[in-house]
Amino acid sequence: MTSILLTGFEPFDGETVNPSWQAVLRAQALWDGPEDVHIAEIPVDFEACDRALTDALDRFRPDLVIAVGQAGGRPGISVERVAINVDDARIPDNAGFQPVDAPIVPDGPAAYFSTLPIKACVEALTQAGIPASVSQTAGTYTCNHVFYRLMHTLQADRPDARGGFVHIPYAPEQAAARDQPSMSVEMAALALLAIVRTSLDVAVDTRAPGGALH
């Protein structure tokens, strides 16, 4: 049976919630397909997140992996295109560690592209009335770190598996005090389900504009 892994992050930077984990939990509860959907919470810790991701990949042996993170300030779902081989943390992680200009994998490739059908996913979300776009950067914090580590591991150990990363906005309770865009956890979970289904169904990505001018 097809195995799917969804990951989300624990809260960080003084927050009490992380909508990425809340949305992953809700998506698993809503899934009604024949495939097995597994979930894992990833620590916002540059060292511990590698172990948590590797443990989940070893345990569930997924055919499809979608890692999810919070991108406060973004107005919609961001389906990430590329992970880069650098940690450059603007703030310390939850363990107090703050790497600067450090490679994630020494001597690893400069970048990995998502193997999800990213433009078909954005198209599916837009058709469902969920704001979404292709993103050209997953940042240089733990989200990008996990994205890069995921793609590096899949290429080495499970080359037939597909993987990628999705950013979601703040939850409404986070955004209220910041005057920032937000998205309900329920909508974010529905977006993840649409991305999962599209990734399972679409073998060759849609050819459509999705780039950025800056």
Side-chain angles (χ1 to χ4, degrees), residues 82-193:
V82 61
I84 61 173
N85 189 15
V86 65
D87 289 334
D88 192 3
R90 183 177 58 81
I91 59 174
D93 66 14
N94 283 351
F97 182 47
Q98 189 174 5
V100 174
D101 298 338
I104 298 168
V105 178
D107 300 321
Y112 285 105
F113 286 108
S114 171
T115 51
L116 305 179
I118 58 173
K119 293 185 177 180
C121 289
V122 169
E123 184 178 79
L125 294 177
T126 301
Q127 290 176 352
I130 301 174
S133 62
V134 173
S135 169
Q136 317 304 328
T137 174
T140 54
Y141 198 54
T142 50
C143 287
N144 175 77
H145 183 105
V146 165
F147 184 13
Y148 186 94
R149 179 66 69 177
L150 168 64
M151 303 314 297
H152 185 76
T153 303
L154 290 183
Q155 178 169 287
D157 299 337
R158 294 184 64 80
D160 293 332
R162 301 181 89 172
F165 198 96
V166 175
H167 268 120
I168 66 174
Y170 281 137
E173 62 267 30
Q174 295 175 290
R178 297 179 169 88
D179 192 27
Q180 293 280 357
S182 68
M183 179 178 289
S184 71
V185 169
E186 188 76 9
M187 179 173 285
L190 293 174
L192 295 181
L193 295 180

Side-chain angles (χ1 to χ4, degrees), residues 8-12 40-53 93-94 142 146:
F9 283 98
E10 68 181 359
F12 70 103
E41 186 176 26
I42 305 297
V44 180
D45 177 320
F46 282 97
E47 294 186 358
C49 67
D50 285 351
R51 294 192 299 272
L53 177 64
D93 66 14
N94 283 351
T142 50
V146 165

Side-chain angles (χ1 to χ4, degrees), residues 59-77:
R59 179 181 179 187
F60 300 120
R61 305 297 293 171
D63 303 289
L64 173 66
V65 187
I66 299 173
V68 187
Q70 168 192 296
R74 295 193 189 182
I77 301 294

